[in-house]
Amino acid sequence: MATVTRASLDQRLALAKRCSREANLAGFKAAAVATIASAVPTLASVRMLPWAKANINPTGQALIICTVAGMAYFVAADKKILSLARRHSFESAPAHLKNTSFLGTGRPHPAFFRP
């Protein structure tokens, strides 16, 4: 069993901090875009459509816009975290696991898979 050194723990902590910072930035960018993309049609529909004007008060408008922004933040941040984890796990994988080609499996490919 391999021993864990202080340097390797510090390196992993720095990598985790960098990944969370990148995910936070990606989520913030997505939330900013989603806020604009949801605010414009929401506010325009409240001004122009009689049904929306009668049924969506300012609290409802804010709730629609904030919900979209929050969802966009968490979806983008989660996607970024998963992509970074996948990339880093592939980088630290042994060489025999990195070879993802299926050469030498002994099974010929069907005709519709051939290039």
Side-chain angles (χ1 to χ4, degrees), residues 67-106:
T67 302
V68 171
M71 288 173 31
Y73 174 84
F74 286 111
V75 167
D78 192 41
K79 284 178 68 175
K80 186 67 170 181
I81 288 171
L82 290 175
S83 70
L84 289 172
R86 189 178 304 114
R87 184 175 67 195
H88 294 309
S89 68
F90 185 76
E91 288 172 357
S92 63
H96 71 282
L97 294 177
K98 288 183 180 181
N99 183 8
T100 58
S101 66
F102 295 106
L103 298 176
T105 58

Side-chain angles (χ1 to χ4, degrees), residues 7-32:
S8 68
L9 289 177
D10 288 342
Q11 183 181 10
R12 285 188 179 187
L13 182 62
L15 182 64
K17 284 182 179 180
R18 192 183 81 221
C19 291
S20 65
R21 191 174 306 119
E22 287 181 33
N24 189 11
L25 184 62
F28 179 75
K29 288 178 183 178

Side-chain angles (χ1 to χ4, degrees), residues 27-91:
F28 179 75
K29 288 178 183 178
V33 170
T35 299
I36 301 301
S38 65
V40 171
T42 301
L43 296 175
S45 65
V46 168
R47 306 260 186 298
M48 290 188 255
L49 300 174
W51 179 89
K53 188 181 290 188
N55 292 315
I56 303 177
N57 60 12
T59 304
Q61 296 169 28
L63 184 63
I64 291 169
I65 296 167
C66 290
T67 302
V68 171
M71 288 173 31
Y73 174 84
F74 286 111
V75 167
D78 192 41
K79 284 178 68 175
K80 186 67 170 181
I81 288 171
L82 290 175
S83 70
L84 289 172
R86 189 178 304 114
R87 184 175 67 195
H88 294 309
S89 68
F90 185 76
E91 288 172 357

